[in-house]
Amino acid sequence: MTTPDTPAGGRIPFNDLARTAPMDTLRAAVDDAITAGDFVHGRAIDSFERRFAEYNGVAHCVGTSSGTSALQCALAAAGCGPGDEVVTVSATFVATAAAITHTGASPVFVDVDPATGTARPDQVRAAVTARTRAILPVHLYGHPADPRELAAIGAEHGIPVIADASHAHGATWDGRPVAAYADVTCFSFYPSKNLGAFGDAGALVTDDPQLARRARSLRDHGREDGEVVTVGHNWRMDTLQAAVLAAKLPHLDHWTRLRRRAADRYRGSLRDTGLTLLTTSPAAGHAHHLYVVRHPQRDALRAELAGHGVDTRVHYPRAVHQLRPFSAFRTPPGGLPETEALARQCLSLPLFPGITDEELDTVARAVRAALRTVERHPATAPAGHPRPPATARN
């Protein structure tokens, strides 16, 4: 199966969604959903929600139409609205901040740890004011933003932590699922995610029964027990996506192990190349949605790798506070230097379940060759190699 992330011509793809897909199981799950004919509010929704809550070690899961709607639903269920502030990071996909503004609240951006790309707890604590309604950390690239410390900050101030785990299916901290620490954790099931649907889908998970009840109402036009009790939205997950996700969920831990193994191989082969490799906290069980390296000549390196047949992405070429709609929101007095440096330097290398050792080693050799060229010509991209597109999907 060719996907939008699988280029033609024998290149090493950035992603290949078909390598480990359990196709017979997926076809059977879709056939069952079609035969049942319950395409909205179907039985597969309840089944997936129950199993995904259990997987994350919490009591409740609320399926939604996308990861973005999961974030917005969680924020709204937690009472975020006009005049409120939500402390978050700018090193993320734009949807994180957009979900905040769609509730009427304002994002307050803090800087990240350059070693992991995740929120610095000291900056989160300093950013909390009387207007802060929630803390929204991002488990970027699959590395958890210290969930224990952030939960302590939230408890100290009496505000919920609503985590964006769109990159972090299967991630852990001190051996526990990351969702065990936050008040709410939100996931995207965009097809390229570690647990991906056959289209858009998302979910929020929580141990709070009242928040789960409000979220279920908000996602379904504000209905509760057949009555409209608030102004809601059409944020429902459709039954076919739930069937696909339920069929894939038993494979997630195996896929996570394959991602970690690939990341370990990269780490060994890219050491001492001149790249800056992001690190993993000793407490973190990294989900490795992406394998991201840093280099000051990122664009030239990426263009050279394209000439070597290696497909790469940039997650993300501009920090959210650098985007026009979000440039006026509050940042720390010293700005966000680490966030901006990450945006200038980050490069995502191919990594997915099923990538072979040969492919990983080929990428590593190409990186070394590309770096030699870039070091000889540091100011320009390699002649004759087309510059790849700068942006990446979510």
Side-chain angles (χ1 to χ4, degrees):
M1 178 173 70
T2 300
T3 75
D5 284 329
T6 308
R11 297 165 59 87
I12 294 179
F14 180 73
N15 199 357
D16 186 338
L17 302 182
R19 292 259 182 121
T20 56
M23 296 306 300
D24 290 343
T25 303
L26 290 170
R27 289 190 183 98
V30 171
D31 284 347
D32 287 347
I34 292 172
T35 300
D38 50 359
F39 300 112
V40 179
H41 293 304
R43 284 165 286 182
I45 299 284
D46 293 337
S47 175
F48 172 70
E49 288 180 340
R50 184 170 57 254
R51 293 165 63 186
F52 196 61
E54 180 180 353
Y55 178 83
N56 284 285
V58 297
H60 306 280
C61 171
V62 180
T64 60
S65 56
S66 69
T68 308
S69 59
L71 286 166
Q72 191 174 343
C73 189
L75 289 161
C80 294
D84 293 332
E85 293 181 341
V86 177
V87 178
T88 190
V89 291
S90 182
T92 183
F93 185 58
V94 66
T96 307
I100 296 169
T101 60
H102 281 312
T103 68
S106 298
V108 174
F109 297 117
V110 299
D111 214 355
V112 296
D113 178 349
T116 64
T118 59
R120 287 177 45 185
D122 62 322
Q123 287 219 353
V124 171
R125 180 176 277 105
V128 173
T129 70
R131 294 176 59 191
T132 304
R133 188 71 181 214
I135 298 168
L136 203 171
V138 177
H139 301 320
L140 191 68
Y141 309 146
H143 190 291
D146 190 333
R148 190 181 296 280
E149 181 66 20
L150 294 173
I153 295 171
E156 176 185 335
H157 293 278
I159 52 179
V161 175
I162 299 171
D164 183 342
S166 296
H167 289 182
H169 316 68
T172 62
W173 191 266
D174 285 334
R176 301 176 66 201
V178 289
Y181 296 89
D183 296 278
V184 191
T185 303
C186 299
F187 294 88
S188 166
F189 302 124
Y190 186 81
S192 62
K193 294 296 192 284
N194 294 28
L195 182 65
F198 281 0
D200 271 319
L204 63 88
V205 300
T206 181
D207 265 331
D208 184 335
Q210 294 306 312
L211 193 143
R213 179 185 58 79
R214 291 193 296 271
R216 291 186 188 283
S217 175
L218 285 166
R219 73 166 177 184
D220 187 27
H221 299 286
R223 290 186 288 192
E224 189 174 325
D225 297 327
E227 295 291 330
V228 175
V229 297
T230 188
V231 178
H233 303 265
N234 185 1
W235 288 334
R236 298 177 301 235
M237 177 187 286
D238 73 65
T239 304
L240 286 172
Q241 302 306 338
V244 167
L245 293 166
K248 285 187 168 187
L249 182 57
H251 302 271
L252 179 56
D253 284 342
H254 174 61
W255 292 337
T256 302
R257 287 191 292 271
L258 293 177
R259 289 177 179 274
R260 289 172 177 161
R261 181 179 181 278
D264 287 343
R265 194 172 185 91
Y266 268 147
R267 194 174 298 112
S269 59
L270 297 176
R271 190 180 295 119
D272 303 324
T273 59
L275 292 175
T276 297
L277 306 183
L278 299 183
T279 61
T280 300
S281 165
H286 202 315
H288 287 294
H289 173 58
L290 300 168
Y291 190 83
V292 177
V293 298
R294 297 177 60 166
H295 193 272
Q297 297 292 323
R298 185 266 314 285
D299 292 341
L301 175 61
R302 186 173 185 224
E304 184 67 29
L305 284 171
H308 285 271
V310 176
D311 192 25
T312 61
R313 296 288 188 272
V314 177
H315 298 84
Y316 300 97
R318 298 184 71 190
V320 174
H321 75 281
Q322 296 175 314
L323 304 174
R324 188 179 304 167
F326 300 94
S327 60
F329 292 109
R330 182 158 65 90
T331 60
L336 302 172
E338 297 297 347
T339 297
E340 293 175 9
L342 180 63
R344 288 193 305 270
Q345 298 177 359
C346 63
L347 181 65
S348 302
L349 300 180
L351 187 147
F352 51 90
I355 191 170
T356 66
D357 288 350
E358 181 182 3
E359 287 173 316
L360 292 165
D361 294 344
T362 298
V363 172
R365 289 193 296 270
V367 166
R368 289 180 180 275
L371 285 169
R372 288 194 292 269
T373 301
V374 169
E375 288 164 2
R376 288 197 299 269
H377 307 285
T380 60
H385 291 168
R387 188 179 297 276
T391 59
R393 297 178 185 85
N394 60 343

